[in-house]
Amino acid sequence: MLDAAKTDETLLEVNNIEVIYNHVILVLKGVSLNVKKGGITALLGGNGAGKTTTLKAISNLLHSERGEVTKGSIIYKGERVQDLDPATLVKRGVIQVMEGRHCFEHLTVEENLLTGAYTRKASKGEIDADLQMVYDYFPRLKERRKSQAGYTSGGEQQMVAIGRALMSRPDTVLLDEPSMGLAPQLVEQIFEIVKSVNEKEGVSFLLAEQNTNVALKYAHFGYILENGRVVMDGPASELRENPDVKEFYLGVSDEGRKSFRDVRSYRRRKRWLA
Ligand SMILES: Nc1ncnc2c1ncn2[C@@H]1O[C@H](COP(=O)(O)OP(=O)(O)O)[C@@H](O)[C@H]1O
Ligand SMILES: [Mg+2]
């Protein structure tokens, strides 16, 4: 679909990582994935599959959670980045938008956006231009720029969180569950914006989502994570057509709608693990 996504250059490489919390809880059991330059890569899976842990392992945010990468490697632009602190990684171009759209509730929308530029040595002119860029993508934020963030809607807060990340001028955004708790129409709106940032600014995305349907509509490539392991991967167009993905993640199949909570039938049918 996207020419940029067809370049084969790998920006981020996660090689067989293992993550342990509190020295004993093994959560990621050898996860490998690649993020292509200029693409949108989806990391899919149900609640507790390990999506957030994977993103935090990449952006080095596990320490505060008493988590640790105990095996494997993470390579960004050909360099090992495991030992960098999150702020250094932001300077290298990788930024995470946390699940639950964290923003500073007492600051205005615009002040929140400006905090995103803190790692850069940018002039006021450059920062103003970037703010304008964010407002071009999110006209809604421009209208709300003087509002206290805590009083804006869930959708607006998600926009603030993404816009704030864009203010660091990233090459790669790790976006954790942008659809969470938002109405379908708003989810589409946010994904449309992600798509145009990807196409026009060339920003690559690694997108963690439980909403498989919308993620596979916008992503170029996807990985499905279950219980700390990648159980399936492929171009988004192929995953969308895969009968198991349809049945257990998209909730549609030839036999009609089903829930992937139907665990017994799920285990029986889960051919990709056989
Ligand atoms: N700080 C933590 N300490 C211990 N276990 C954790 C911690 N954070 C997450 N987990 C566990 O790791 C597993 C994966 O969680 P997570 O990465 O948040 O999954 P997802 O984002 O796919 O919902 C879950 O079983 C969760 O309970
Ligand atoms: Mg999560």
Side-chain angles (χ1 to χ4, degrees), residues 41-52:
T41 303
L43 184 58
L44 306 166
N47 193 20
K51 303 180 297 297
T52 297

Side-chain angles (χ1 to χ4, degrees), residues 19-22 25-28 43-56 62 64-67 99 176-177 180 208-210 225 227-228:
V19 169
I20 296 182
Y21 284 111
N22 290 313
I25 310 166
L26 176 64
V27 167
L28 297 190
L43 184 58
L44 306 166
N47 193 20
K51 303 180 297 297
T52 297
T53 301
T54 305
L55 297 194
K56 286 187 171 171
L62 283 175
S64 56
E65 307 258 347
R66 301 177 52 82
E99 184 177 287
D176 201 356
E177 302 252 17
M180 194 186 267
E209 260 301 343
Q210 279 188 62
L225 207 54
N227 201 10

Side-chain angles (χ1 to χ4, degrees), residues 158-177:
Q158 184 65 68
M159 293 178 189
V160 169
I162 298 172
R164 179 170 177 270
L166 295 179
M167 290 297 290
S168 74
R169 279 273 168 198
D171 300 317
T172 305
V173 175
L174 311 175
L175 185 52
D176 201 356
E177 302 252 17

Side-chain angles (χ1 to χ4, degrees), residues 27-85:
V27 167
L28 297 190
K29 302 159 186 168
V31 168
S32 297
L33 59 88
N34 287 335
V35 174
K36 299 281 182 213
K37 188 174 177 181
I40 300 178
T41 303
L43 184 58
L44 306 166
N47 193 20
K51 303 180 297 297
T52 297
T53 301
T54 305
L55 297 194
K56 286 187 171 171
I58 297 168
S59 54
N60 244 316
L61 292 168
L62 283 175
H63 295 296
S64 56
E65 307 258 347
R66 301 177 52 82
E68 202 187 346
V69 177
T70 47
K71 252 204 223 163
S73 63
I74 300 169
I75 312 285
Y76 187 66
K77 293 183 180 168
E79 273 181 74
R80 218 181 130 95
V81 292
Q82 262 138 296
D83 306 316
L84 301 181
D85 61 88

Side-chain angles (χ1 to χ4, degrees), residues 7-26:
T7 65
D8 248 0
E9 193 179 331
T10 299
L11 204 51
L12 172 70
E13 238 182 279
V14 173
N15 296 313
N16 206 21
I17 58 166
E18 197 177 90
V19 169
I20 296 182
Y21 284 111
N22 290 313
H23 302 290
V24 286
I25 310 166
L26 176 64

Side-chain angles (χ1 to χ4, degrees), residues 208-253:
E209 260 301 343
Q210 279 188 62
N211 187 335
T212 309
N213 202 7
V214 75
L216 287 180
K217 182 171 162 193
Y218 289 94
H220 307 104
F221 200 89
Y223 292 86
I224 299 179
L225 207 54
E226 270 186 20
N227 201 10
R229 289 193 174 89
V230 173
V231 292
M232 193 190 269
D233 65 60
S237 53
E238 285 174 22
L239 292 179
R240 276 198 301 267
E241 296 309 317
N242 180 290
D244 289 325
V245 175
K246 275 187 174 169
E247 182 167 1
F248 300 111
Y249 288 96
L250 299 175
V252 286
S253 73

